[in-house]
Amino acid sequence: MTRIIVVGGGAGGLELATKLGRTLGRKGRANITLVDRKASHLWKPLLHEVATGSLDEGVDALSYRAHAKNHHFDFQLGSLQDIDRERKVIILSELKDEQGELLMPSRELEYDILVLAIGSTSNDFNTPGVRENCIFLDSPEQAHRFRTNMNNEFLKLHAKNGQGTVDIAIVGAGATGVELSAELHNAVKELRTYGFGDLDSSKLNVSLVEAGERILPALPPRISGAAHQELTKLGVNVRTATMVTQADKDGLTTKDGEKIHAQIMVWAAGIKAPDFMKEIGGLESNRINQLVVKDTLQTTRDDNIFVIGDLAQCTQPDGSFVPPRAQAAHQMASRAFSNIVAKLTGRELKAYVYKDNGSLVSLSRFSTVGSLMGNLTKGSMMIEGRIARVVYISLYRMHQMALHGVFKTALIILMGRINRVLRPNLKLH
């Protein structure tokens, strides 16, 4: 029986493993195994809400093991260490607990088809002091660290009877930086209702620092302009064309020698694939460690290895690269699924072409702005406000439907509405 291993349970990897399990795994046509170094999955675009406490990841996180059991695939907890392409095995690192005690020794898993969907990490561009002093918002653990630090700073301020400010600097005005900036102001509003009556927006100084000429550089100028306006209204200090050259425990230093003081610093200024992926198993990689793939999503040096999501450098017909977005991972998972089935049945594999369905940025409960693209709009249409918010949430619902189906997703939505009544609006622990 064909052995298919998917490494990485992010948006694309988990959707692919689920689809393969429901079709090939259920019918006994293939053994599907998902490997991830975490025990649960959380949709990455939600991390800024986890960081501020407006989302309880205990409710929204999904257990890989339980999901695997329900969808006819296996789950293995572990981190990829290496790939032996000659023997067709992947090597997983030994697994230790927080005290350094060995939980599982290093082990090997055999594959016939391997899919790498490990995703990306933050790129600090080797800026001095960033790794030691900044929080990278690319995992639930980092989001927890941010929330703990933020709550501690607000407690200190409360103990001083509101004398002073909480200064937070966010480097990188892509979707993560912009959404976090807005969500922080929502958190302050909520905190006031939980006994922090001396807190208001004037006690929070958020600096959003972007090296480029405008925020949200990947989106059309009119959308980034609308988002810039909204953030300024909220009181966010938006600084464009400002390059950070150093970080220390007191704040950031810019190229002009200016100091941006901050008790908490977040680095969200670019992505790269993990360092250990560079030329892993002799596969072709680029300068940010992404693996280079053909248009069928197979690696350039091995047709039995597929790569999807942020880890893939996939060139489009016009010469551009597929952007590292959740919608791209979702589309790649679908194309990889049909190509794997085609490969197993001896049919021709098809090229993946990225379809830009538009981009939406949530400015917390204040606003949502973005563009939708498609045949109906003959190009792109700018949307904002309540309609944009509904569409933004629907992107997450699409991800949930790919994992759970329509009926279970409807139950999850109902449970979410009940939790709104039962649970506090802000997670304070």
Side-chain angles (χ1 to χ4, degrees), residues 310-339:
D310 292 3
L311 184 61
Q313 180 194 293
C314 183
T315 310
Q316 292 296 279
D318 64 359
S320 65
F321 297 126
V322 175
R325 290 189 190 165
Q327 61 175 307
H330 174 76
Q331 293 170 22
M332 283 177 161
S334 296
R335 175 52 65 210
F337 169 77
S338 56
N339 277 350

Side-chain angles (χ1 to χ4, degrees), residues 28-49:
R29 290 171 57 196
N31 279 329
I32 320 297
T33 303
L34 175 68
V35 176
D36 198 276
R37 59 196 176 92
K38 302 272 195 311
S40 62
H41 162 82
L42 187 72
W43 201 49
K44 206 171 176 181
L46 294 175
L47 283 176
H48 69 281
E49 294 189 27

Side-chain angles (χ1 to χ4, degrees), residues 196-225:
F196 291 85
D198 49 6
L199 284 182
D200 59 45
S201 286
S202 68
K203 302 296 179 189
L204 176 69
N205 281 338
V206 179
S207 296
L208 181 61
V209 185
E210 168 60 41
E213 292 298 316
R214 60 187 179 90
I215 69 169
L216 301 170
L219 302 187
R222 58 195 175 137
I223 294 168
S224 65

Side-chain angles (χ1 to χ4, degrees), residues 107-371:
R107 59 206 189 278
E108 293 184 347
L109 299 178
E110 296 178 339
Y111 69 86
D112 296 302
I113 293 174
L114 175 63
V115 183
L116 299 172
I118 285 169
S120 60
T121 58
S122 297
N123 190 349
D124 64 2
F125 304 102
N126 297 319
T127 308
V130 167
R131 200 150 287 281
E132 298 79 18
N133 297 292
C134 294
I135 293 170
F136 299 101
L137 214 58
D138 49 21
S139 71
E141 290 76 21
Q142 292 285 321
H144 294 163
R145 186 180 153 205
F146 178 91
R147 187 170 67 220
T148 302
N149 290 1
M150 179 188 77
N151 287 341
N152 288 347
E153 290 300 334
F154 282 132
L155 276 171
K156 285 185 212 167
L157 189 67
H158 185 57
K160 296 180 201 164
N161 297 318
Q163 297 299 310
T165 56
V166 173
D167 302 328
I168 299 174
I170 301 162
V171 183
T176 301
V178 167
E179 291 181 334
L180 179 62
S181 301
E183 199 64 57
L184 282 166
H185 281 273
N186 177 50
V188 169
K189 283 193 168 187
E190 294 289 350
L191 277 168
R192 281 178 64 83
T193 65
Y194 291 108
F196 291 85
D198 49 6
L199 284 182
D200 59 45
S201 286
S202 68
K203 302 296 179 189
L204 176 69
N205 281 338
V206 179
S207 296
L208 181 61
V209 185
E210 168 60 41
E213 292 298 316
R214 60 187 179 90
I215 69 169
L216 301 170
L219 302 187
R222 58 195 175 137
I223 294 168
S224 65
H228 192 138
Q229 218 172 354
E230 289 287 334
L231 291 177
T232 307
K233 266 192 234 166
L234 288 177
V236 177
N237 178 20
V238 182
R239 319 247 324 224
T240 52
T242 306
M243 185 175 280
V244 172
T245 53
Q246 191 176 332
D248 55 46
K249 63 181 192 310
D250 301 323
L252 306 165
T253 305
T254 70
K255 195 177 180 182
D256 300 332
E258 187 191 349
K259 186 74 180 250
I260 300 171
H261 292 279
Q263 294 109 321
I264 303 172
M265 289 158 279
V266 176
W267 190 271
I271 63 119
K272 65 174 183 177
D275 291 336
F276 74 88
M277 292 307 298
K278 189 164 188 65
E279 294 178 357
I280 192 167
L283 298 171
E284 185 184 357
S285 61
N286 65 11
R287 60 181 179 78
I288 58 167
N289 310 324
Q290 289 175 309
L291 297 180
V292 184
V293 296
K294 299 186 283 191
D295 59 6
T296 54
L297 301 178
Q298 295 163 296
T299 58
T300 52
R301 294 176 186 165
D302 195 327
D303 281 352
N304 293 313
I305 300 178
F306 291 78
V307 187
I308 64 171
D310 292 3
L311 184 61
Q313 180 194 293
C314 183
T315 310
Q316 292 296 279
D318 64 359
S320 65
F321 297 126
V322 175
R325 290 189 190 165
Q327 61 175 307
H330 174 76
Q331 293 170 22
M332 283 177 161
S334 296
R335 175 52 65 210
F337 169 77
S338 56
N339 277 350
I340 288 169
V341 172
K343 187 174 169 62
L344 293 178
T345 53
R347 289 182 290 116
E348 189 185 344
L349 278 64
K350 291 182 180 173
Y352 164 65
V353 179
Y354 172 63
K355 185 174 184 290
D356 189 349
N357 293 319
S359 302
L360 292 163
V361 178
S362 171
L363 304 179
S364 187
R365 291 172 194 176
F366 307 106
S367 175
T368 300
V369 296
S371 68

